[in-house]
Amino acid sequence: MPKFTQTFNKMLDDHADKFQEFRAVHDQYKLDTKKYQSEYNRIGKPILDIIREYENRLCSGMERGVFGKYSDKVSEKFWDRVKKEFPLVELIGVEIQ
């Protein structure tokens, strides 16, 4: 199993309650963006912080030295994995009118 997948799974396990709550709101948000916008942003902001924390754990040592380009690819794969699970994660903080 690739390291980015291991990190993603560990993140979900370590914060299972928060991600379970986020998943419920995420699914509701898919159905009615305007109705759930404020709740999605409120619950999603700490989730983004958690995701970034785990991304930093995954890539922090690689950014220096010869693995700098590799770090970007690993980060991209990690975010692709996040988006596969939560396709609307990039809309956290966005206000739709």
Side-chain angles (χ1 to χ4, degrees):
M1 181 181 309
K3 184 74 171 177
F4 68 89
T5 302
Q6 291 174 356
T7 303
F8 176 78
N9 290 337
K10 180 167 176 33
M11 175 183 72
L12 291 182
D13 290 344
D14 291 351
H15 302 279
D17 293 341
K18 291 179 183 178
F19 276 98
Q20 184 176 4
E21 179 183 20
F22 178 68
R23 184 182 310 279
V25 173
H26 181 273
D27 292 345
Q28 291 172 334
Y29 183 71
K30 275 189 210 178
L31 300 175
D32 189 352
T33 56
K34 290 183 181 186
K35 183 176 179 183
Y36 294 102
Q37 183 72 55
S38 62
E39 185 177 8
Y40 184 70
N41 289 335
R42 181 181 58 80
I43 293 173
K45 185 170 177 359
I47 294 295
L48 269 183
D49 293 339
I50 292 168
I51 293 170
R52 288 185 184 122
E53 175 189 339
Y54 279 81
E55 176 192 21
N56 287 338
R57 288 183 190 181
L58 177 64
C59 300
S60 64
M62 295 180 204
E63 292 173 350
R64 296 180 226 79
V66 296
F67 295 110
K69 290 182 181 178
Y70 180 70
S71 171
D72 289 343
K73 291 179 183 176
V74 170
S75 176
E76 186 177 320
K77 288 180 180 182
F78 177 77
W79 275 98
D80 286 346
R81 182 65 184 94
V82 170
K83 291 176 205 171
K84 182 178 178 184
E85 192 75 24
F86 304 105
L88 302 177
V89 72
E90 292 179 326
L91 296 178
I92 295 172
V94 174
E95 291 294 328
I96 298 174
Q97 307 244 346

